[in-house]
Amino acid sequence: METHIITTEFIKLQDLLKFANAVSTGGEAKIRVQEGEVKVNGEVCTMRGKKIRPGDVVEMDGQQYTVAYADR
């Protein structure tokens, strides 16, 4: 599982996918999320603006991603 550090309260799902280099563009993130290719905490999520916070697990293409706060 890849952990990415954030300095804000949350990161939007589509932004995490771009930040993690899971997709190359925001457009690709939008399509992949809306087509049901992404899971958040084990459930398919079609909301690209879903707020991802520490403890959430995002899955796509067999890879898992999570976030952690920079100051903790």
Side-chain angles (χ1 to χ4, degrees), residues 16-71:
L16 174 60
L17 295 175
K18 288 189 297 184
F19 185 61
N21 292 318
V23 295
S24 54
T25 66
E28 181 184 353
K30 175 182 175 181
I31 292 167
R32 307 265 325 250
V33 170
Q34 289 180 335
E35 290 185 353
E37 297 180 31
V38 181
K39 291 183 180 180
V40 176
N41 298 326
E43 302 207 5
V44 172
C45 180
T46 56
M47 299 181 303
R48 62 188 176 152
K50 169 100 173 133
K51 296 175 181 176
I52 305 300
R53 293 181 168 88
D56 290 333
V57 176
V58 175
E59 298 176 57
M60 188 178 85
D61 294 338
Q63 296 287 349
Q64 294 185 326
Y65 309 94
T66 190
V67 296
Y69 291 131
D71 59 349

